């Protein structure tokens, strides 16, 4: 605020400074080293990172190197997807071990999930590997590895079912189905003396 002695107004002698800049101090008139002229092509700027022009893309496709790298990366990705359930098998086995051998809601839920999830995964493996299928990418062996790992997960769940006593593996589980054996000898009681 600047005091003004000659003017008296309601601010009691104080005048607010003006916010309009003078034409000499306007930012557009000041020279800048970052100024860009869009009208002239004095210097060609390089392309940004990750941008490939259509001319450069045509040159790389004609060479074939880009395509080979893409197929190698695609095949590597297929094998990564095929071996990814192996970590889940270890985690599921640990979780089943932690639930114990008692029959409770947690152990039954874990075993049910362990039995059903491999079947769903094997049934959906065709759709999972179909997006990678083409002439140069082999999906048969990775799909077989994926199904083998899911089968291993199913056998871990079956082992847990056996430990819980829910698999009918003993003869006592089938007694009602077994026929009564025929007797080889007969014996009868004696007469009473009284």
């Amino acid at each position: 605020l600047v005091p003004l002695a000659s003017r008296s107004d309601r601010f009691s002698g104080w005048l607010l400074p003006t916010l309009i800049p003078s034409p000499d101090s306007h930012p557009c008139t000041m020279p800048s080293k970052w100024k860009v002229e869009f009208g002239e092509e004095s210097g060609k700027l390089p392309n940004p990172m990750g941008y490939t022009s259509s001319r450069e893309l045509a040159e790389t496709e004609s060479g074939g190197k880009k395509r080979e790298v893409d197929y190698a990366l695609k095949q590597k990705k297929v094998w990564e997807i095929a071996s990814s359930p192996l970590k889940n098998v270890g985690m599921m086995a640990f979780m089943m071990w932690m639930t114990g051998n008692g029959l409770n809601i947690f152990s039954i839920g874990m075993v049910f999930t362990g039995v059903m999830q491999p079947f769903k995964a094997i049934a959906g493996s065709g759709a999972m590997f179909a997006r990678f299928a083409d002439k140069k990418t082999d999906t048969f062996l990775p799909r077989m590895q994926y199904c083998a790992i899911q089968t291993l997960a199913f056998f871990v769940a079956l082992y847990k079912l056996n430990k819980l006593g829910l698999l009918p593996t003993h003869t006592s589980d089938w007694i009602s189905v077994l026929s009564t054996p025929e007797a080889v000898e007969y014996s009868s009681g004696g007469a009473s003396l009284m």
Side-chain angles (χ1 to χ4, degrees), residues 65-160:
K65 286 185 178 181
K66 181 81 171 160
R67 291 276 182 187
E68 290 175 13
V69 170
D70 287 345
Y71 286 124
L73 288 174
K74 196 181 222 185
Q75 190 69 35
K76 184 179 176 184
K77 183 68 174 174
V78 168
W79 280 106
E80 285 176 5
I81 289 174
S83 61
S84 65
L86 195 58
K87 298 175 209 167
N88 295 340
V89 171
M91 181 185 66
M92 185 181 68
F94 177 72
M95 289 176 69
M96 285 185 182
W97 176 72
M98 289 295 289
T99 58
N101 290 336
L103 284 176
N104 55 42
I105 191 71
F106 298 112
S107 60
I108 292 172
M110 282 298 300
V111 171
F112 180 74
T113 302
V115 169
M116 294 305 294
Q117 193 270 338
F119 285 123
K120 289 180 183 177
I122 290 172
S125 66
M128 181 183 296
F129 289 99
R131 62 184 176 162
F132 295 107
D134 60 5
K135 294 176 185 175
K136 291 190 176 183
T137 307
D138 178 33
T139 58
F140 178 74
L141 288 176
R143 186 174 176 192
M144 290 298 111
Q145 178 183 347
Y146 181 81
C147 292
I149 292 172
Q150 294 296 341
T151 305
L152 175 69
F154 176 71
F155 285 132
V156 168
L158 283 183
Y159 176 77
K160 180 66 177 181

Side-chain angles (χ1 to χ4, degrees), residues 3-36:
L4 228 178
S6 62
R7 182 173 172 175
S8 65
D9 55 1
R10 61 185 172 153
F11 294 113
S12 64
W14 292 93
L15 178 67
L16 295 173
T18 168
L19 298 176
I20 301 172
S22 67
D24 298 335
S25 66
H26 196 269
C28 294
T29 59
M30 297 174 56
S32 173
K33 63 180 180 177
W34 298 104
K35 190 173 181 182
V36 177

